[in-house]
Amino acid sequence: MPPRPYLQVDVFSKRPGCGNPLAVVLDAEGLTDEQMQTIAGWTNLVETTFVLPPTQAQADYRVRIFTPQREIPFAGHPSLGTAHALLASKKINKQNGEIVQECGAGLIPIRIETSKKYRRRLFFRAPAVKNIQPFNNENSEAKAVFSTLELGTLSPSLVEGGRKWWIAEMRDENALRNLVPDYATISAMSKASDSMGLCVFSRCKDQDYQLAVRAFAPAFGIKEDPASGAANATIAAYLLDSGALKDIGHNYRVSQGREIGHDATIDLRAEKQDDIWVGGECQTVISGNINWIDIK
Amino acid sequence: MSQNRSFMQCDVFADYAGAGNGLAVVLDGENLSSEQMQAFAKFTNMSETTFVLPTTKANASYRVRIFTPASELPFAGHPSVGTAHAVLEAGLVKVTDGKLVQECAAGLLPITVEGSGKDRCISVRAPRGKIVPHDANIQTLLDAAIKNMALGGLTPTLMNNGPLWWCIELENESAVRDLKPLLADIATLTLASKAVGLSVFARSNSTDYQLVVRAFCPADSIPEDPVTGSANAAIAALMHELKTIEKVGRTYTASQGREVNRDGFVQVRVDDEGEVWIGGKTRTVIEGSLSWD
């Protein structure tokens, strides 16, 4: 088996180490499902992707996405990191416009924005939000969580996009950053409502970001996520629905991950429902080859 | 000023890619700050990431700093074996009389290199292991952690060879392979006794290996470690101390990792002075450049 081009990329990141890491194996043709899963277990990153030739005419590439445990049809951060790896290694040459990713969830458009100020940013269109269900004090597991939080003005809600998340506004940035989450109650709420967990956010003043976000999914083994793609899209849909984006702006920037030693920057484009884009910069950290010889 | 550094990710104690324990190696770690090294070790999310630096001692072959995602370590077995492999592959050092000298925070450590090519086996001398006595409270926690285990002949013992390891001999190979560890009880025991983890082992009738080993570190969020240098060294030191090593042999192969979809082999040797050496084969998996600072 020949060496294949391999990149390790930092997604939602202005500098290496700020964002969410991703391993990308380019030219993955010929690897079996089992080999892909084993490689994803060995890299030990949250996700490892494998780039394949597209099978549909409109697609620029096909990708398969694996966590160390299993294959998943789609996730935001691996999609952006994979598109970045293809652009950085000049397998795809495009400065601006859209490319189309074929994956387990179908065809996903990825928007490329290159400017002097931001170098290259990539955006994916998030799954449409189907349902926003406000917290009504009856759900005892949710009550146990929300009764302890310094909440902001908007009412907490259970929002269903690609996945379900509880979303709650915190009073201010300090309350958000100093929050010590109670994983046990969040986990119980998540299990009782069949949701991923809890996203909290606060509006921010005098910063180069308009929102600060933290995301907790302890029921899925993720105490706190350093940079959330799709979860930020559900927050954007919720803010759009509530009218809050009139003040915040429909194009806004999120800071996430500082509480766990990261410093991710995530950009949102939320002009209208069903057309919410999530993006940011990616950094190439490791560039080389993977030589996966798995026979003695 | 941004700089491209030479990078390698290899698989240690492995006959083939994916069989062993991964290690990230930055081959020219000069001018990276300790903070940058720690941040990169967190980014790779390998159990260890090492940084090769110019030596400061005349007789050292190379210098290395070893980081987990959380902290710097003075010494560890698998990163030493893998780093020696990486510097040899990169042509940074030459073997003299089958030996290298690694400079690390724990001092100057001898490394032996035997064979060549795919069969090259690199071994490092482990810090000397000592039995640590434990009190009745710990015994109660120990009893809870091992209550589902079919014990072998040796008394369950806490060993100190840098890290502290519980070493539990089981009746036979299937008792090790089929064990469903009581992770919550093991976490409680290891926290209370300041141990990094609990290892189980048994002699094997296989022709490929003489000992089978598993190692659990649930208190460190690692339910089961794929292939563990220090635990294997602790087990060998215990068998040597209790004079049962001859039943396995002073040079033996341990199999570890099959229960977590790996298939690692650790070569263990107890020399005439009673020092334990651990080693194995290493496979280069990823080679490239790093852009970090």
Side-chain angles (χ1 to χ4, degrees), chain B residues 128-134 138 157-167 186 189-199 215-217 220 228 230-235:
Chain B
R128 195 170 266 258
K130 293 188 191 70
I131 292 176
V132 181
H134 60 267
I138 295 292
T157 302
L158 182 60
M159 294 295 291
N160 181 352
N161 64 352
L164 274 71
W165 280 101
W166 284 99
C167 301
I186 292 172
L189 168 69
T190 52
L191 282 172
S193 53
K194 300 188 169 60
V196 64
L198 179 146
S199 62
F216 310 104
C217 313
D220 269 346
T228 321
S230 58
N232 274 283
I235 292 165

Side-chain angles (χ1 to χ4, degrees), chain A residues 83-267:
Chain A
H84 168 83
L86 285 159
L87 290 160
S89 59
K90 306 210 184 312
K91 301 263 178 193
I92 294 176
N93 291 298
K94 215 166 194 176
Q95 287 274 312
N96 283 291
E98 272 182 29
I99 52 177
V100 176
Q101 165 174 297
E102 179 184 347
C103 60
L107 297 176
I108 308 283
I110 309 266
R111 190 189 285 168
I112 308 168
E113 288 185 16
T114 307
S115 67
K116 274 186 190 141
K117 186 173 175 192
Y118 292 113
R119 294 192 282 174
R120 179 172 62 227
R121 284 184 296 174
L122 300 173
F123 293 81
F124 70 93
R125 190 166 64 207
V129 164
K130 294 169 213 157
N131 190 16
I132 300 176
Q133 192 185 323
F135 167 61
N136 59 11
N137 254 321
E138 279 165 21
N139 179 328
S140 60
E141 287 86 2
K143 202 169 170 180
V145 172
F146 295 127
S147 61
T148 65
L149 298 182
E150 296 176 68
L151 293 175
T153 49
L154 297 176
S155 143
S157 292
L158 181 59
V159 182
E160 184 173 4
R163 289 157 163 173
K164 274 196 246 178
W165 283 95
W166 281 98
I167 292 173
E169 181 179 15
M170 302 288 290
R171 195 186 60 208
D172 55 29
E173 186 170 357
N174 273 337
L176 178 101
R177 298 221 182 262
N178 296 328
L179 170 65
V180 180
D182 180 349
Y183 301 118
T185 58
I186 294 169
S187 189
M189 171 175 80
S190 151
K191 283 173 184 160
S193 53
D194 188 27
S195 64
M196 283 297 290
L198 172 68
C199 287
V200 289
F201 71 89
S202 73
R203 303 177 214 214
C204 302
K205 291 196 187 87
D206 308 322
Q207 303 285 3
D208 62 359
Y209 46 85
Q210 288 71 50
L211 224 63
V213 167
R214 297 177 67 184
F216 312 106
F220 291 84
I222 304 164
K223 282 184 175 172
E224 181 157 1
D225 193 25
S228 313
N232 266 293
T234 57
I235 297 173
Y238 162 87
L239 290 171
L240 189 59
D241 185 68
S242 72
L245 290 188
K246 284 193 213 83
D247 298 328
I248 296 167
H250 290 268
N251 292 350
Y252 66 88
R253 174 163 277 196
V254 168
S255 160
Q256 187 179 350
R258 290 189 184 174
E259 296 73 17
I260 50 168
H262 293 247
D263 189 10
T265 303
I266 302 164
D267 290 321

Side-chain angles (χ1 to χ4, degrees), chain A residues 11-70:
Chain A
V11 181
F12 299 126
S13 167
K14 288 195 284 189
R15 286 177 293 111
C18 291
N20 206 353
L22 177 76
V24 184
V25 179
L26 300 174
D27 302 347
E29 252 187 310
L31 288 172
T32 64
D33 294 8
E34 196 188 358
Q35 286 174 317
M36 291 184 192
Q37 185 62 70
T38 307
I39 292 171
W42 191 80
T43 66
N44 207 32
L45 297 179
V46 276
E47 275 117 5
T48 299
T49 67
F50 299 87
V51 178
L52 300 159
T55 65
Q56 300 190 40
Q58 310 96 298
D60 291 281
Y61 63 96
R62 178 176 166 227
V63 65
R64 292 179 65 183
I65 305 170
F66 288 76
T67 74
Q69 288 79 33
R70 65 188 68 87

